[in-house]
Amino acid sequence: MVYFDHNATAPMLPQAEAAFVAAAREHFANPSSPHRAGARARAELDRCRERVAGRLGAEPEEIVFTSGATEGANAVLRHFAGAAGGAACLISAVEHPCVRAAADAFWKERVHSLEVDDAGRVEMDRFGARLRDVRPALVAVMAANNETGVLQPWEEIAGVCRSSDAVYLCDAVQWAGRLPLRVPAGRTFLVGSGHKFGGPKGVGFLRVPRGVEGFAAMVGGEQEGGRRAGTENLPGVAAMTAALEHTASLADDTTEAAARRAWRRDFVERLAPSGVKAATGEAKALWNTVSLVMPHALNHRWVNRLSRRGFMVSTGSACATGREGPSHVLSAMGLAAGEARRTIRVSSGWETKERDWQALADAVGEIAGELRSEGSSAVVEIPD
Ligand code: PLP
């Protein structure tokens, strides 16, 4: 099997597995227990916090361990929906459902959508204009898109939010462990998720900037400095920390990253003769992700045929599986419905080899030939 669905979830790294088992065995005690075993578990948890903070350029006290990015994003949006009085929030049209749905649930009619260009990017001029119009208390723009891999100018957005006094929520789930990640100064809340970069599922981190009072993702006990009640998932945290350190050091290695970018570019070029095109054109994107508009058949057929040949790709976001209609991300980019339904997502990992990309390109070429000769009519079935 060749796995090209890392944006849905990545396989657990050996470093993460080892850290998980070691923490589960050696630090099974509750970090809040008053005895020596509890103190050792607490010390391990704090070491993980320091290591994660070190990787993000944040202070250890700013890192809150969560069950994942959905929890972190929900908590931030819920907290500020109450704290903002009647003020509005501004969120990009391509946010993950954990931001979109939470914004709708907590801010209701005070949610304003920020349009994107035809590659799915936020344009700074438009952002500035919308900021002046809406005067949001909170802005949410993700770092890199989970469906297309397109990169947002999120560090610049953080800077503008800082000078306009808006809270900034950055969903860095797909960026973390793939590109160098430093949290900008100011009121930037940032969420990450362990299972996207080789840690386990059900564990993530949230950066809560210093000086924010009364924030609690969960209420109950005093864990995580009162900002996230519930017994800490120490094996999960230890494994996520190991995975983040490993992948972040790869991300900092410019030679590694350049090689991966070249593989992605060559892959897209090899597909062009089969009538496949990248949905985001030449826009800057994660080295691991490409969203492809396929010829001849709907994305489900492509995914099934590739799966039968041993290549695991996806029709789009795993979180949208089962939902009707084309993806909100592709629609916001202005892709016609027919094209959106022919779009697949390919997302690699650090362990993916150049030959895997090449083999996938060959398989796509062969399937395109098969579908063409079968006279597939899916394109005409779906009106644009
Ligand atoms: N944000 C993005 C961009 C994602 O891709 C995902 C996962 O699909 C999430 C948030 C949700 O993360 P989690 O699974 O940790 O709740």
Side-chain angles (χ1 to χ4, degrees):
M1 169 179 95
V2 188
Y3 188 73
F4 271 104
D5 198 15
H6 287 70
N7 288 12
T9 197
M12 213 155 126
L13 288 165
Q15 295 85 341
E17 280 177 22
F20 188 96
V21 172
R25 282 193 187 137
E26 293 160 31
H27 301 298
F28 65 87
N30 190 322
S32 302
S33 289
H35 43 67
R36 205 191 297 169
R40 287 185 56 229
R42 150 87 38 212
E44 176 62 12
L45 185 68
D46 288 343
R47 265 193 303 277
C48 290
R49 200 182 309 284
E50 276 165 27
R51 289 161 63 194
V52 170
R55 277 291 165 191
L56 303 183
E59 299 297 325
E61 312 75 63
E62 295 179 321
I63 302 300
V64 175
F65 292 122
T66 61
S67 67
T70 300
E71 180 189 323
N74 268 254
V76 174
L77 286 156
R78 190 177 58 235
H79 176 80
F80 287 102
C89 77
L90 182 62
I91 71 166
S92 91
V94 294
E95 292 302 295
H96 186 271
C98 76
V99 169
R100 280 161 60 92
D104 286 342
F106 302 126
W107 295 70
K108 300 198 167 23
E109 65 289 343
R110 292 181 290 148
V111 180
H112 294 253
S113 181
L114 175 61
E115 306 79 1
V116 290
D117 70 9
D118 60 6
R121 288 168 302 196
V122 168
E123 293 162 314
M124 288 310 289
D125 286 353
R126 190 182 290 180
F127 173 58
R130 297 282 274 134
L131 206 66
R132 284 190 295 279
D133 280 359
V134 174
R135 297 183 172 279
L138 182 146
V139 169
V141 177
M142 70 205 317
N145 189 267
N146 49 303
E147 289 188 36
T148 64
V150 150
L151 307 182
Q152 299 294 359
W154 66 278
E155 284 131 319
E156 242 182 291
I157 290 171
V160 174
C161 288
R162 191 160 60 239
S163 41
S164 74
D165 224 20
V167 168
Y168 174 48
L169 169 60
C170 178
D171 172 347
V173 165
Q174 300 290 352
W175 182 294
R178 300 200 179 120
L179 294 177
L181 177 58
R182 310 300 287 175
V183 184
R187 291 208 295 164
T188 296
F189 287 73
L190 184 138
V191 292
S193 176
H195 73 108
K196 305 290 182 175
F197 52 78
K201 293 159 188 59
V203 60
F205 58 83
L206 163 66
R207 185 262 186 152
V208 178
R210 267 170 188 275
V212 174
E213 297 294 328
F215 177 87
M218 298 271 198
V219 291
E222 283 305 304
Q223 291 90 351
E224 299 292 296
R227 290 168 304 175
R228 203 275 182 181
T231 305
E232 299 90 341
N233 170 9
L234 184 48
V237 167
M240 172 176 72
T241 304
L244 183 65
E245 280 187 338
H246 178 72
T247 52
S249 64
L250 289 169
D252 285 340
D253 182 334
T254 47
T255 331
E256 285 285 348
R260 299 300 193 291
R261 277 199 302 276
W263 299 350
R264 178 188 185 276
R265 190 200 51 225
D266 293 349
F267 170 72
V268 174
E269 280 173 13
R270 283 170 74 119
L271 297 180
S274 304
V276 179
K277 63 171 192 183
T280 55
E282 304 279 303
K284 270 200 182 158
L286 291 170
W287 53 262
N288 83 314
T289 311
V290 59
S291 177
L292 298 169
V293 184
M294 309 305 284
H296 312 306
L298 296 180
N299 50 15
H300 296 281
R301 282 181 82 186
W302 275 100
V303 169
N304 289 339
R305 293 222 179 179
L306 284 165
S307 174
R308 269 189 257 144
R309 287 170 186 252
F311 296 94
M312 307 300 131
V313 305
S314 139
T315 49
S317 162
C319 294
T321 303
R323 207 168 284 163
E324 289 293 312
S327 119
H328 71 281
V329 173
L330 302 177
S331 302
M333 288 159 53
L335 228 71
E339 282 190 318
R341 288 184 165 168
R342 280 187 282 118
T343 302
I344 64 168
R345 177 182 70 185
V346 171
S347 55
S348 67
W350 286 110
E351 82 285 1
T352 310
K353 305 275 184 293
E354 185 178 17
R355 63 169 182 274
D356 298 328
W357 286 101
Q358 291 168 347
L360 178 60
D362 291 345
V364 168
E366 285 163 23
I367 296 170
E370 281 168 20
L371 290 168
R372 200 181 317 113
S373 58
E374 286 165 24
S376 173
S377 58
V379 181
V380 286
E381 280 168 24
I382 303 296
D384 278 352

